[in-house]
Amino acid sequence: MTVIDQKAGIEKAELLKQLRAHVARLSRDLYASPGEAFTHVAVREYFDVDDEDALEYCDVGGGHDRGVDAFWIDDEDRRAILVRTRWATRQKPFGADVVREAETAYEWLRKVGDGAVSGAAPRVIDAARRLQRLRQVEPDLPVHIHVIVTGSFSEGADAERSRAIEGLEGDPVEIVMVGLDDLLEEMEERVTREVGGTRVKPVEKFTLDKRGFFVHRGQPEALVATLSGYELAKAAQKWGYRLFMRNLRFLLAVKARGSVNVGIKHTLDDPDERRHFWYYNNGIAIVCDSFKVSPEQTSVTITNMQIVNGAQTTASLQNALAQLRRDNKTQVLARIIADPGDELEERITFFNNRQNAVKSRDLQSNDRHQDRLQRDFQKRTTPWFYERKRGEWNALSTEDPGLEKRLGKRRIDNEEAAQAAYAFYFDPGRARADKKDLFQPKRDGGYYEDIFNEKRTSASLLVPYLLAKYIRARKNDYLKEIRPIDPRKATIDEQRLLSRLWLKFADQFILGAMAFYIDKRGGFEDSRLEQLLANDDDFDGMVGGMYPVAVRDLHPLFIRKEREAAPRDRQEVLIGEQVFSAANYVKTHWDEALAHIQAEWDTHEAVGDALAGVPMLCLEDWRSGGT
């Protein structure tokens, strides 16, 4: 399915321009080449992850990656993902070699997991060995190999994919080929979602069986009907993601990401089972502006059709469009609800998705604490915009062009704020490893009520948010500084810089260290936090002074962990379980890090002021300013 050329969508040329701009910026600031930068952009856009995750997944060891451009284990979807990319400034068909490269990368990765080779980056060794251990318990755990290119694929590439899959028969591996149009389509979906809504209102007509529907004459009015699976698949082919803009689970069911429901696929692949689809499937839920049943009761026309539950069902039907075209007996149960109003529509979407593992800030966007915090930020002496819904700022600033002029860069994203707050007040490791659960209620194993409750104020969110923003900027400065360094030819000074590669992944640990210092010098009472925020220059000076102290205190910990895990001989490299990965360490070891920071604090306090020269926190300022 390719929808980027539809007039209602964003022009392909504009999307391509954005893609190239992202690659140019990252290759200038963070990566050694446009190819590496493209991998980051491709992973971020195609898999809908943030820059923090993309940076980690693409950290595979540079010249030692053997064709593995990105690799990670997706615990939520129970799969491993390997990405091989090819970048070219000129669009062209890519041949069989790019598929062979991906296959070779996977074979090498298996050898890393088996301990048969060495030389991989520590994070890749750790992930490969973890994959091997998981497969010992779960032999069918799949690996999805994604080949992502800035062009199309030749017939030879398609043939090579078929050969590779046949050669890997018995190994749970899937090869997904992603061309430029597929990648740009994912970019369009994200951009359109972030600007706050659809640009078109899908209108579709479906055949009705007189015996297979009834109208619920309530408020709002609803239609329960049996729809043709073929007609629904055609609608999905025509409208693409525009049918799912209000569906919280759409991104979990996109066709090409390799996670289409296996049970649905098997049913649709079997001609006999296909006609029993109505009995096996729970059906779909649709909200719309209106529906109209024809006078003959043979069809229904749905205006502004939005599938709020059943995206995976619909995506699977679309994938089986060719089979359905030949055998049009597949039927789907549908509930179609007309003009439910914003509040009811939101609740319909919420409860239709609640039984599934939806982990999204969208589920909490209208929670009373989110609403209160948005008002509180607006009431601050210097107002801030608290964005509690994806695309909210873009939508409102489009309607009110003066909004950006009035607020400038004073915007706080509640998802970023939640992660920063949890790292600051609770556990930086969990804030990094479990960020998908920050908006999950505690009854479902999440942390939402810890972060958002009656005691949470704008100041208590703003302080960690601003600290996290500063830490991220300094990390980017560091990555830009080391970008041109060749580790094999590094000078002594350059080696010192490279010894701090842990900075790529330790944002939350540094934030946790800063929280430790602030707690030592005044605590977290709202009055104290407001005091810190009262003067922008003083606050900036405090943050700038704390950052090097946090790096000073954490650096010995990471150096020690690396030394402890360093192999003593080649045999240990090949079979050893002990591999230090900073990216993994910062997700699970905050208690150890906190004990280390406390020890560093005690050592410095024994001979002077541990925060000497840090505005508002050094002993001189703290004692004179009070608490």
Side-chain angles (χ1 to χ4, degrees), residues 139-160:
D140 292 333
L141 185 75
V143 174
H144 293 153
I145 302 173
H146 288 74
V147 183
I148 307 178
V149 301
T150 52
S152 56
F153 292 97
S154 68
E155 292 183 1
D158 289 329
E160 186 66 18

Side-chain angles (χ1 to χ4, degrees), residues 401-442:
L403 188 63
E404 188 165 5
K405 185 176 180 180
R406 295 194 300 273
L407 294 180
K409 296 182 179 180
R410 294 193 302 276
R411 305 195 297 264
I412 177 168
D413 177 278
N414 73 340
E415 196 166 37
E416 294 177 11
Q419 186 181 30
Y422 201 85
F424 190 83
Y425 297 110
F426 300 102
D427 188 319
R430 287 183 178 177
R432 179 69 183 92
D434 299 338
K435 62 182 177 181
K436 64 184 184 303
D437 295 328
L438 294 176
F439 282 83
Q440 279 282 81
K442 296 186 78 170

Side-chain angles (χ1 to χ4, degrees), residues 224-462:
V224 178
T226 294
L227 302 183
S228 161
Y230 172 60
E231 291 180 355
L232 184 59
K234 283 202 305 179
Q237 177 79 3
K238 175 181 178 181
W239 297 103
Y241 67 85
R242 295 176 183 83
L243 286 182
F244 305 92
M245 291 296 292
R246 303 179 199 173
N247 187 308
L248 300 173
R249 281 185 61 81
F250 177 61
L251 290 177
L252 303 182
V254 173
K255 64 195 183 308
R257 292 204 173 100
S259 56
V260 171
N261 186 287
V262 174
I264 296 176
K265 184 178 186 300
H266 286 168
T267 300
L268 293 173
D269 285 345
D270 188 322
D272 293 328
E273 290 288 271
R274 202 179 298 149
R275 58 195 65 194
H276 296 145
F277 190 84
W278 189 93
Y279 298 97
Y280 298 159
N281 189 266
N282 289 330
I284 66 174
I286 296 170
V287 297
C288 59
D289 288 351
S290 64
F291 64 81
K292 184 177 182 180
V293 177
S294 66
E296 302 82 11
Q297 297 189 330
T298 56
S299 66
V300 59
T301 300
I302 306 174
T303 301
N304 196 14
M305 172 181 173
Q306 290 288 302
I307 298 174
V308 296
N309 183 250
Q312 197 168 63
T313 294
T314 308
S316 299
L317 287 167
Q318 183 191 337
N319 284 344
L321 185 60
Q323 297 101 300
L324 298 178
R325 184 178 290 112
R326 294 190 299 268
D327 178 12
N328 187 14
K329 291 187 172 60
T330 302
Q331 295 180 317
V332 183
L333 179 66
R335 288 183 301 128
I336 304 161
I337 304 163
D339 193 21
D342 291 343
E343 183 176 351
L344 180 58
E345 179 184 318
E346 185 168 350
R347 292 178 67 80
I348 290 169
T349 305
F350 182 96
F351 287 112
N352 270 277
N353 285 280
R354 196 68 183 122
Q355 69 272 27
N356 300 310
V358 180
K359 296 176 177 64
S360 170
R361 70 195 269 197
D362 299 321
L363 292 175
Q364 303 289 359
S365 60
N366 281 337
D367 176 69
R368 61 192 178 90
H369 295 303
Q370 299 300 318
D371 185 56
R372 173 182 59 80
L373 285 165
Q374 189 174 62
R375 295 195 305 270
D376 289 349
F377 272 99
Q378 290 172 347
K379 292 176 183 176
R380 292 190 64 81
T381 303
T382 303
W384 281 73
F385 182 83
Y386 178 78
E387 187 168 30
R388 58 191 175 122
K389 294 183 180 181
R390 288 182 295 176
E392 188 176 19
W393 169 262
N394 288 330
L396 292 177
S397 60
T398 298
E399 295 175 3
D400 179 7
L403 188 63
E404 188 165 5
K405 185 176 180 180
R406 295 194 300 273
L407 294 180
K409 296 182 179 180
R410 294 193 302 276
R411 305 195 297 264
I412 177 168
D413 177 278
N414 73 340
E415 196 166 37
E416 294 177 11
Q419 186 181 30
Y422 201 85
F424 190 83
Y425 297 110
F426 300 102
D427 188 319
R430 287 183 178 177
R432 179 69 183 92
D434 299 338
K435 62 182 177 181
K436 64 184 184 303
D437 295 328
L438 294 176
F439 282 83
Q440 279 282 81
K442 296 186 78 170
R443 66 176 179 269
D444 295 333
Y447 311 112
Y448 183 77
E449 293 87 347
D450 290 334
I451 306 167
F452 299 106
N453 51 53
E454 298 292 347
K455 295 181 180 179
R456 185 63 58 216
T457 65
S458 61
S460 68
L461 282 182
L462 192 54

